[in-house]
Amino acid sequence: MHRLIAAATLALGSLALASAAHADGDAAAGKTLFQQKCALCHSPDKGVNKLGPSLWNVAGQPAAEVPNYTFSAGMKDSHITWDDASLDKWLTNPRAMVAGTKMIFPGLPNATDRQNVIAYLKSLK
C-alpha cells in the first residue's frame, strides 16, 4: 500500500513539475515583447480597453468577459479559459484557434517568446 501511495505521489509531482515547466517564462522579457508586439492594441491596465480588450488579470479568466469591450461572436462562443496551454495556442496563431476573431495579429512563432509573454500576462494582477 505504501508503495502505491509513493508511486501516486511521485506521478502527481511529475505532472505538477511538467505543468510548471510549461508555465516558465521571463516576465521582464515578456513585458518588453508585450510593449513591442501587443501594446498598440491591448493595455495591461485594468479597465483600459483599446482596439483589443485590456489584458489585466487575463490569465485564468474565461475568454470574452472583459467589461465594456465588444467581442466577436467567435470569441464569445469559444468557451476558452486563458490558462498556459490556451494562451500558448492563441499566441501561436489566433485566427487558427478562433474562427472569426477580430484579432489581426499573426502570432509569435518562437516558443520562448510566447512563454515570456504568458509569464508577463500572469503577472498582471
Side-chain angles (χ1 to χ4, degrees):
M1 181 65 169
H2 291 294
R3 286 183 184 170
L4 182 60
I5 292 171
T9 302
L10 181 60
L12 288 174
S14 296
L15 286 173
L17 286 174
S19 294
H22 183 70
D24 285 346
D26 179 341
K31 180 177 182 177
T32 299
L33 279 165
F34 182 92
Q35 291 168 336
Q36 294 170 347
K37 306 278 185 180
C38 312
L40 181 64
C41 296
H42 295 281
S43 172
D45 301 320
K46 183 178 183 177
V48 179
N49 296 320
K50 294 172 137 183
L51 184 58
S54 167
L55 296 180
W56 179 84
N57 198 33
V58 70
Q61 300 301 314
E65 294 202 4
V66 173
N68 303 312
Y69 184 81
T70 304
F71 289 91
S72 67
M75 188 58 75
K76 288 180 188 176
D77 294 338
S78 70
H79 306 290
I80 296 168
T81 296
W82 295 118
D83 60 16
D84 290 347
S86 61
L87 285 167
D88 185 64
K89 185 174 180 180
W90 177 257
L91 290 170
T92 299
N93 187 343
R95 291 187 167 298
M97 186 171 175
V98 176
T101 181
K102 296 192 294 185
M103 179 105 153
I104 59 171
F105 183 68
L108 292 172
N110 183 287
T112 300
D113 288 348
R114 291 192 308 272
Q115 291 307 305
N116 291 343
V117 170
I118 292 167
Y120 174 64
L121 292 174
K122 290 170 70 173
S123 76
L124 300 175
K125 300 214 184 267

